[in-house]
Amino acid sequence: MLGIDIEELYFDFGEGHRYLKLIAGVGQGSRLHEDKAIRVRNTMWSLPALSALVPRLNDLLGQEHEEPAAAVDPELERSFDRLMADVRKALPGDAASWYDTGVFLARFSLCVNIVVEPPVELPGTDFEATYRKELARVVPHLAQVLLGLASRTAWLRASPPLRGQLASLLRQLAAWDSGSADWCRTARARTDRLFAALGMTHSETSLLHAVSAAAAHLGQTADELTTDESEPDMESEFWCRETELMKALLAGEAEAAEDGLRTLVQTGRRTLGSRHPFVLLAQSDLCLALHALGRVPLCVDLAYDTADEARLHFGHRHAVTATVSRTTWWLLHLTGRADEAAEFKEARLAWLLAADPDELPPELAQLPGTLTDPTVREAATPPEPGEQTS
């Protein structure tokens, strides 16, 4: 959802990066929000009403990237705020309502997460008090936005699970008690379920939490620092867990597999990184679990996103890109979109079928044989999970 991504990008771009510069140094210029920037840019390009605003977004991000010290400039934040307002003005009625919902939902989630679990390693700010105050300001705005959304036709077009989670959150907002610990914990749980209904795999961690963890890391002695030797164990644990969950899916335990895979993707984004091959492969497997639960078109939408993300970060002919693209093609077939599946196969996978099998690397050698019409196979059986690929 554009509203969620652009609001999170706005925060990372501004306040989050001020603390990043304090901890990592102004010269580092780390782009921890790069994935969000890519999603926002791609969404804006895809919508005719917003494509003309992409150069302004690129200009703002370019200033931050080329001059990291500018990230502490309030005027730059105000320019981003004006861009968000212009994006909202350019959207038609129902789309604007969903945009508002996403913006305030992201802001609400950020506040609740920081109140429940304030960053402890960052100097000079009482985060819990600051964000509890902001939460009190956001709650009535979000409630008003949700009430407005419920009065529009967009509400009727939303899936029943999504409407149910939105209504549940609205009831939570109506029971606002100035932000007690219990209220915030319940609100966070309901927000997480809402994100799940939207098909989003959030890490539940803001940039402030990431920077806080970096500060704690920098504060350790050399003997306490985690070495690279622990990384393979983390990857092995991740892969073993994914294998277990795919066995559960194949055994018909779709609900347990979906819940486990969603949690695994969230954890992997924190521990391995959002672009790690294992994380993208697990996200692709999550699409299969969603299909098994009848979550259409959500499963296909997430599969497209995964394939696009893999192609962007690994390239068109990488093994990870090919593996998740195969899953996307498979799901298009199984959901009755045969023409779209054929177009996707020609655009993304034709090179694989045309390749000399003897020249393909081991991790790709088996894929061409899986690219036959799935309607001639067991339609309920998902493709085998991808091989370990780096």
Side-chain angles (χ1 to χ4, degrees):
M1 183 181 284
L2 176 61
I4 293 174
D5 282 335
I6 201 169
E7 173 63 22
E8 290 188 342
L9 180 59
Y10 170 69
F11 174 78
D12 288 0
F13 183 77
E15 183 165 7
H17 266 67
R18 279 201 289 272
Y19 285 96
L20 178 63
K21 301 307 179 290
L22 287 173
I23 298 302
V26 171
Q28 295 297 315
S30 299
R31 298 294 304 280
L32 298 186
H33 57 228
E34 185 173 353
D35 286 342
K36 292 171 192 165
I38 291 169
R39 288 199 300 270
V40 170
R41 184 183 292 112
N42 289 347
T43 301
M44 290 175 64
W45 269 126
S46 70
L47 299 172
L50 301 183
S51 59
L53 297 174
V54 172
R56 281 175 58 188
L57 174 68
N58 290 339
D59 182 57
L60 286 168
L61 295 177
Q63 291 181 56
E64 193 279 329
H65 184 52
E66 294 170 9
E67 302 181 35
V72 303
D73 182 1
E75 180 55 36
L76 208 56
E77 288 184 61
R78 286 192 287 270
S79 296
F80 201 106
D81 199 35
R82 289 192 290 270
L83 172 64
M84 289 178 63
D86 289 342
V87 167
R88 202 265 182 220
K89 291 176 184 176
L91 292 169
D94 283 353
S97 295
W98 282 114
Y99 177 82
D100 290 341
T101 300
V103 166
F104 281 100
L105 181 60
R107 198 172 303 173
F108 175 78
S109 177
L110 172 73
C111 292
V112 165
N113 277 304
I114 291 179
V115 169
V116 171
E117 190 180 349
V120 295
E121 298 291 341
L122 301 182
T125 301
D126 182 350
F127 285 100
E128 182 177 358
T130 299
Y131 280 86
R132 193 182 298 279
K133 182 178 179 180
E134 176 65 9
L135 182 61
R137 190 184 71 83
V138 170
V139 163
H141 286 290
L142 178 57
Q144 183 178 4
V145 166
L146 292 181
L147 286 170
L149 180 67
S151 68
R152 303 188 69 91
T153 56
W155 178 269
L156 298 176
R157 289 199 296 269
S159 68
L162 177 55
R163 291 202 303 269
Q165 294 303 332
L166 287 167
S168 176
L169 180 59
L170 188 54
R171 289 193 296 271
Q172 179 73 15
L173 298 175
W176 168 251
D177 65 356
S178 299
S180 67
D182 285 344
W183 189 95
C184 288
R185 281 192 292 269
T186 302
R188 180 163 72 165
R190 288 184 172 174
T191 305
D192 290 345
R193 288 195 291 269
L194 177 52
F195 280 136
L198 286 167
M200 306 193 76
T201 48
H202 279 236
S203 67
E204 302 175 4
T205 296
S206 71
L207 180 59
L208 283 180
H209 286 102
V211 177
S212 178
H217 182 78
L218 290 173
Q220 292 176 315
T221 65
D223 292 336
E224 294 172 322
L225 291 176
T226 302
T227 66
D228 291 339
E229 294 177 358
S230 66
E231 189 68 17
D233 289 337
M234 189 179 299
E235 291 184 345
S236 296
E237 290 175 5
F238 185 96
W239 190 257
C240 287
R241 177 59 176 156
E242 181 180 5
T243 301
E244 291 173 0
L245 291 167
M246 287 306 292
K247 287 180 179 177
L249 179 60
L250 290 168
E253 301 171 13
E255 189 170 347
E258 189 273 342
D259 182 67
L261 284 165
R262 186 180 298 282
T263 300
L264 188 66
V265 170
Q266 293 171 345
T267 302
R269 286 185 168 186
R270 289 198 301 270
T271 57
L272 300 177
S274 60
R275 302 177 195 167
H276 194 284
F278 288 6
V279 174
L280 288 174
L281 291 169
Q283 186 167 301
S284 184
D285 288 343
L286 174 60
C287 300
L288 296 172
L290 289 168
H291 176 264
L293 292 172
R295 302 284 296 279
V296 180
L298 175 58
C299 62
V300 175
D301 292 342
L302 182 59
Y304 263 124
D305 289 345
T306 307
D308 290 344
E309 192 171 0
R311 184 174 63 166
L312 178 66
H313 295 304
F314 294 113
H316 184 59
R317 300 194 176 194
H318 193 277
V320 170
T321 306
T323 301
V324 301
S325 295
R326 183 270 310 267
T327 299
T328 304
W329 165 80
W330 172 278
L331 287 170
L332 286 168
H333 259 295
L334 294 186
T335 53
R337 297 156 72 167
D339 291 343
E340 194 173 342
E343 292 176 3
F344 184 88
K345 183 178 179 179
E346 178 64 28
R348 304 289 185 95
L349 296 165
W351 69 270
L352 185 60
L353 294 170
D356 184 341
D358 294 333
E359 295 182 0
L360 289 173
E363 61 269 23
L364 285 175
Q366 302 301 318
L367 280 182
T370 68
L371 293 171
T372 57
D373 187 343
T375 58
V376 305
R377 294 190 254 170
E378 292 287 341
T381 303
E384 291 296 318
E387 296 295 325
Q388 292 194 36
T389 309
S390 57

Short mmCIF file of all heavy atoms in Angstrom, two decimals, residues 10 13 56-57 59-60 63 73-86:
data_model
loop_
_atom_site.label_atom_id
_atom_site.label_comp_id
_atom_site.label_asym_id
_atom_site.label_seq_id
_atom_site.Cartn_x
_atom_site.Cartn_y
_atom_site.Cartn_z
N TYR A 10 9.15 8.53 4.69
CA TYR A 10 9.25 9.90 5.22
C TYR A 10 9.92 9.89 6.59
O TYR A 10 10.79 10.72 6.87
CB TYR A 10 7.85 10.50 5.33
CG TYR A 10 7.77 11.81 6.08
CD1 TYR A 10 8.31 12.97 5.55
CD2 TYR A 10 7.15 11.88 7.33
CE1 TYR A 10 8.24 14.18 6.24
CE2 TYR A 10 7.08 13.08 8.01
CZ TYR A 10 7.62 14.21 7.46
OH TYR A 10 7.55 15.40 8.15
N PHE A 13 13.58 8.87 6.23
CA PHE A 13 14.27 9.94 5.53
C PHE A 13 14.62 11.08 6.50
O PHE A 13 15.64 11.74 6.36
CB PHE A 13 13.35 10.47 4.43
CG PHE A 13 13.94 11.53 3.56
CD1 PHE A 13 14.85 11.20 2.57
CD2 PHE A 13 13.58 12.86 3.71
CE1 PHE A 13 15.38 12.18 1.75
CE2 PHE A 13 14.10 13.83 2.90
CZ PHE A 13 15.01 13.50 1.91
N ARG A 56 10.42 14.70 -8.52
CA ARG A 56 10.56 15.38 -7.22
C ARG A 56 11.02 14.40 -6.15
O ARG A 56 11.87 14.73 -5.31
CB ARG A 56 9.23 16.01 -6.81
CG ARG A 56 8.93 17.33 -7.50
CD ARG A 56 7.57 17.86 -7.15
NE ARG A 56 7.38 18.06 -5.72
CZ ARG A 56 6.21 18.37 -5.15
NH1 ARG A 56 5.13 18.49 -5.92
NH2 ARG A 56 6.12 18.54 -3.87
N LEU A 57 10.46 13.19 -6.17
CA LEU A 57 10.91 12.18 -5.22
C LEU A 57 12.38 11.86 -5.43
O LEU A 57 13.17 11.81 -4.46
CB LEU A 57 10.07 10.91 -5.39
CG LEU A 57 10.52 9.69 -4.55
CD1 LEU A 57 10.28 9.95 -3.07
CD2 LEU A 57 9.79 8.43 -5.01
N ASP A 59 14.63 13.73 -6.72
CA ASP A 59 15.45 14.88 -6.33
C ASP A 59 15.66 14.91 -4.81
O ASP A 59 16.77 15.13 -4.34
CB ASP A 59 14.77 16.17 -6.79
CG ASP A 59 15.60 17.41 -6.46
OD1 ASP A 59 16.76 17.48 -6.90
OD2 ASP A 59 15.10 18.28 -5.74
N LEU A 60 14.60 14.66 -4.06
CA LEU A 60 14.72 14.65 -2.61
C LEU A 60 15.63 13.52 -2.13
O LEU A 60 16.50 13.73 -1.28
CB LEU A 60 13.34 14.50 -1.97
CG LEU A 60 12.45 15.75 -2.01
CD1 LEU A 60 11.03 15.39 -1.61
CD2 LEU A 60 13.00 16.82 -1.08
N GLN A 63 19.26 14.33 -2.96
CA GLN A 63 19.89 15.27 -2.04
C GLN A 63 20.36 14.55 -0.78
O GLN A 63 21.45 14.79 -0.28
CB GLN A 63 18.91 16.38 -1.67
CG GLN A 63 18.58 17.34 -2.79
CD GLN A 63 17.63 18.42 -2.33
OE1 GLN A 63 17.90 19.14 -1.38
NE2 GLN A 63 16.50 18.52 -3.01
N ASP A 73 18.32 18.49 7.84
CA ASP A 73 17.75 19.78 7.48
C ASP A 73 16.22 19.71 7.53
O ASP A 73 15.61 18.98 6.75
CB ASP A 73 18.21 20.16 6.06
CG ASP A 73 17.69 21.53 5.63
OD1 ASP A 73 17.00 22.19 6.44
OD2 ASP A 73 17.97 21.92 4.49
N PRO A 74 15.56 20.47 8.43
CA PRO A 74 14.10 20.42 8.52
C PRO A 74 13.41 20.82 7.22
O PRO A 74 12.32 20.33 6.92
CB PRO A 74 13.78 21.41 9.65
CG PRO A 74 15.03 21.49 10.46
CD PRO A 74 16.15 21.33 9.47
N GLU A 75 14.03 21.68 6.43
CA GLU A 75 13.41 22.11 5.17
C GLU A 75 13.27 20.93 4.20
O GLU A 75 12.30 20.84 3.45
CB GLU A 75 14.23 23.22 4.53
CG GLU A 75 13.66 23.72 3.20
CD GLU A 75 12.20 24.17 3.31
OE1 GLU A 75 11.82 24.74 4.36
OE2 GLU A 75 11.44 23.94 2.35
N LEU A 76 14.24 20.03 4.24
CA LEU A 76 14.17 18.86 3.38
C LEU A 76 12.99 17.98 3.79
O LEU A 76 12.27 17.44 2.95
CB LEU A 76 15.48 18.08 3.48
CG LEU A 76 15.89 17.24 2.26
CD1 LEU A 76 15.96 18.07 1.00
CD2 LEU A 76 17.23 16.56 2.52
N GLU A 77 12.78 17.85 5.09
CA GLU A 77 11.62 17.10 5.57
C GLU A 77 10.32 17.77 5.16
O GLU A 77 9.36 17.10 4.77
CB GLU A 77 11.68 16.96 7.09
CG GLU A 77 12.75 16.01 7.58
CD GLU A 77 12.69 15.84 9.08
OE1 GLU A 77 11.65 15.38 9.60
OE2 GLU A 77 13.67 16.21 9.75
N ARG A 78 10.28 19.09 5.26
CA ARG A 78 9.07 19.80 4.86
C ARG A 78 8.80 19.62 3.36
O ARG A 78 7.63 19.51 2.94
CB ARG A 78 9.17 21.29 5.21
CG ARG A 78 9.01 21.56 6.72
CD ARG A 78 8.83 23.04 6.99
NE ARG A 78 10.08 23.76 6.79
CZ ARG A 78 10.97 23.98 7.76
NH1 ARG A 78 10.74 23.51 8.98
NH2 ARG A 78 12.07 24.64 7.53
N SER A 79 9.86 19.57 2.56
CA SER A 79 9.68 19.33 1.13
C SER A 79 9.10 17.95 0.88
O SER A 79 8.24 17.77 0.00
CB SER A 79 11.04 19.46 0.40
OG SER A 79 11.54 20.78 0.50
N PHE A 80 9.54 16.97 1.65
CA PHE A 80 8.99 15.62 1.51
C PHE A 80 7.52 15.61 1.94
O PHE A 80 6.68 14.96 1.32
CB PHE A 80 9.80 14.64 2.36
CG PHE A 80 9.66 13.21 1.93
CD1 PHE A 80 10.70 12.57 1.26
CD2 PHE A 80 8.51 12.50 2.17
CE1 PHE A 80 10.58 11.26 0.85
CE2 PHE A 80 8.38 11.18 1.77
CZ PHE A 80 9.41 10.57 1.10
N ASP A 81 7.20 16.35 2.99
CA ASP A 81 5.83 16.45 3.47
C ASP A 81 4.92 17.05 2.38
O ASP A 81 3.80 16.58 2.16
CB ASP A 81 5.80 17.31 4.73
CG ASP A 81 4.54 17.10 5.53
OD1 ASP A 81 4.04 15.96 5.58
OD2 ASP A 81 4.05 18.07 6.14
N ARG A 82 5.42 18.07 1.69
CA ARG A 82 4.64 18.69 0.61
C ARG A 82 4.45 17.71 -0.55
O ARG A 82 3.39 17.68 -1.18
CB ARG A 82 5.33 19.98 0.13
CG ARG A 82 5.24 21.13 1.13
CD ARG A 82 5.68 22.45 0.50
NE ARG A 82 7.11 22.47 0.24
CZ ARG A 82 8.02 22.90 1.10
NH1 ARG A 82 7.64 23.34 2.30
NH2 ARG A 82 9.29 22.91 0.78
N LEU A 83 5.48 16.90 -0.83
CA LEU A 83 5.36 15.89 -1.87
C LEU A 83 4.25 14.90 -1.52
O LEU A 83 3.42 14.53 -2.36
CB LEU A 83 6.69 15.16 -2.06
CG LEU A 83 6.65 13.94 -3.00
CD1 LEU A 83 6.31 14.37 -4.42
CD2 LEU A 83 7.98 13.19 -2.96
N MET A 84 4.22 14.46 -0.27
CA MET A 84 3.18 13.53 0.16
C MET A 84 1.79 14.13 0.00
O MET A 84 0.84 13.45 -0.41
CB MET A 84 3.41 13.12 1.62
CG MET A 84 4.61 12.22 1.82
SD MET A 84 4.88 11.80 3.56
CE MET A 84 3.38 10.91 3.95
N ALA A 85 1.66 15.42 0.30
CA ALA A 85 0.37 16.09 0.15
C ALA A 85 -0.04 16.16 -1.32
O ALA A 85 -1.21 15.96 -1.67
CB ALA A 85 0.43 17.49 0.74
N ASP A 86 0.93 16.41 -2.20
CA ASP A 86 0.62 16.48 -3.64
C ASP A 86 0.27 15.10 -4.20
O ASP A 86 -0.56 14.99 -5.11
CB ASP A 86 1.81 17.08 -4.40
CG ASP A 86 1.98 18.57 -4.12
OD1 ASP A 86 1.01 19.19 -3.63
OD2 ASP A 86 3.08 19.10 -4.36
#
